[in-house]
Amino acid sequence: MKRNKILNNEQIKRKLERMARQMLEDHYMEKELVLLGIKGQGVEVAKRLNDILNSIGKLKSRNESIELNKDNPLGSEIKCSINSEDISNKVVIVIDDVLNSGKTMIYSVKHVLDSEPKGVYTATLVDRIHRSFPVRADYCGLSLSTHVDQHISVVLNKKTEGKDAVYLEL
């Protein structure tokens, strides 16, 4: 399998910083944002966005996670690290590393909507634009048109600084 690096460590940092600044600009009037990372790399993307938001502004943000079966979202319980009362009447941003068909994102958003938030937005590091579900990224690092047989691989190392990358696998 051939791998082409499409984003290096520095480019990923810049994309995440731009996304965080857009979030801050759009929601500066809020008391708190809830960043809800989808289990897997979405959790790491959410953590990094939360860290950036805390370093560049005074807007309080809360980093949480949501876990669901990505192949069969209705086949098992959706688990969220935050309870419904803490989402009610707050702005929630659901975050994943790659937006492909939109299935994982839309089921995550559906779960959040049951808690009656003030608003729900979506964020992704890479948007492949292969949607089968009516969802889009409100905050996106990179939009990339790919063939359906290609794969995007996101490597976000929690411990090894400088080794992050996004690859297009052919």
Side-chain angles (χ1 to χ4, degrees):
M1 180 179 297
K2 186 177 177 185
R3 283 176 106 182
N4 292 330
K5 188 184 285 189
I6 55 175
L7 292 175
N8 63 30
N9 185 63
E10 195 57 40
Q11 291 168 318
I12 291 170
K13 282 182 180 178
R14 283 197 312 268
K15 301 275 185 205
L16 292 174
E17 186 169 315
R18 181 180 46 79
M19 291 168 63
R21 289 186 184 283
Q22 286 178 316
M23 290 174 188
L24 183 61
E25 184 177 319
D26 291 348
H27 306 291
Y28 71 95
M29 298 280 291
E30 298 300 322
K31 291 180 182 173
E32 180 182 43
L33 287 181
V34 177
L35 304 182
L36 195 60
I38 296 174
K39 194 75 167 184
Q41 295 282 47
V43 171
E44 183 63 20
V45 174
K47 179 192 172 301
R48 292 179 186 205
L49 286 168
N50 187 54
D51 291 346
I52 295 167
L53 281 169
N54 288 328
S55 71
I56 63 173
K58 295 179 181 170
L59 175 64
K60 183 180 176 188
S61 60
R62 181 173 178 168
N63 189 25
E64 300 292 341
S65 65
I66 187 167
E67 182 177 0
L68 67 155
N69 180 331
K70 292 183 179 190
D71 296 322
N72 185 11
L74 298 178
S76 61
E77 179 185 2
I78 296 176
K79 298 175 187 169
C80 199
S81 67
I82 185 172
N83 62 41
S84 297
E85 295 81 33
D86 291 334
I87 291 176
S88 180
N89 207 30
K90 290 189 181 156
V91 170
V92 178
I93 302 176
V94 180
I95 302 166
D96 207 357
D97 60 340
V98 178
L99 178 58
N100 189 15
S101 70
K103 184 177 185 178
T104 302
M105 187 72 77
I106 202 154
Y107 279 102
S108 298
V109 168
K110 178 195 175 299
H111 181 78
V112 170
L113 287 172
D114 293 337
S115 301
E116 299 182 14
K118 182 175 183 179
V120 180
Y121 300 85
T122 57
T124 188
L125 182 58
V126 180
D127 182 357
R128 285 191 61 197
I129 315 170
H130 284 286
R131 286 180 218 67
S132 304
F133 294 84
V135 66
R136 64 176 173 80
D138 296 298
Y139 305 100
C140 178
L142 176 69
S143 292
L144 187 67
S145 290
T146 61
H147 294 281
V148 289
D149 58 340
Q150 295 173 321
H151 179 73
I152 298 292
S153 174
V154 176
V155 179
L156 298 175
N157 292 300
K158 296 175 189 172
K159 296 180 183 173
T160 314
E161 186 69 28
K163 299 288 184 180
D164 297 341
V166 175
Y167 297 96
L168 174 63
E169 297 177 349
L170 309 168

